Amino acid sequence: MTRSSRQITSPGFFQGLGNRLRLIARLMADRRVSPLLKLIPVASLVYLVVPTDLLPIIPLDDAAVLWLGSYLFVELCPQEVVKEHWDKILAASNVLDPSSEAPETPPASPEIIDAEFTEIDSPHSSE
């Protein structure tokens, strides 16, 4: 894989996070996703807002709860719906799917200088 295709296919951390949040928002608004599944990200956010001293039984890191909730939500949603929304998000952000190949660009041609060479007889040359 060339360097230019790596830059196209792998978004940065924040762009990837933004795309993931867009995907979750689209899935939450989609009627094809079960309302029970939509409770997973909501419960993750509630856990983030509720003071942890109210739930001392299970001390979990807030970031881990948010990651697990978003991961489970996307994994449990119908995969054809997830793929449909993911493709639209990637198309909108101009990021190619890692499985697709980036178009090959021809290598830059070296600079060519056109000149003529004329040998000058030197006084020291022997014949």
Side-chain angles (χ1 to χ4, degrees):
M1 185 179 288
T2 64
R3 180 180 201 147
S4 62
S5 65
R6 223 180 302 131
Q7 290 172 347
I8 293 172
T9 59
S10 59
F13 173 77
F14 292 109
Q15 184 177 4
L17 182 63
N19 288 346
R20 184 75 171 188
L21 292 175
R22 281 187 211 96
L23 176 64
I24 292 170
R26 284 172 160 263
L27 291 171
M28 291 290 286
D30 197 315
R31 302 179 108 200
R32 297 173 288 179
V33 176
S34 167
L36 291 175
L37 284 177
K38 293 177 183 181
L39 290 176
I40 295 173
V42 172
S44 298
L45 289 175
V46 167
Y47 180 84
L48 181 69
V49 176
V50 172
T52 55
D53 56 341
L54 292 178
L55 300 170
I57 301 167
I58 309 171
L60 293 174
D61 186 56
D62 294 343
V65 170
L66 288 174
W67 174 82
L68 183 62
S70 68
Y71 176 80
L72 284 175
F73 175 64
V74 172
E75 288 299 312
L76 294 174
C77 284
Q79 290 306 305
E80 62 275 358
V81 177
V82 173
K83 182 172 177 9
E84 175 186 326
H85 288 296
W86 189 245
D87 290 343
K88 288 179 182 177
I89 290 168
L90 291 180
S93 64
N94 294 323
V95 175
L96 297 176
D97 189 320
S99 63
S100 67
E101 287 295 320
E104 286 293 324
T105 56
S109 60
E111 191 173 316
I112 298 174
I113 300 174
D114 189 19
E116 291 184 21
F117 178 75
T118 308
E119 190 172 331
I120 302 175
D121 289 336
S122 76
H124 299 293
S125 65
S126 61
E127 286 191 39

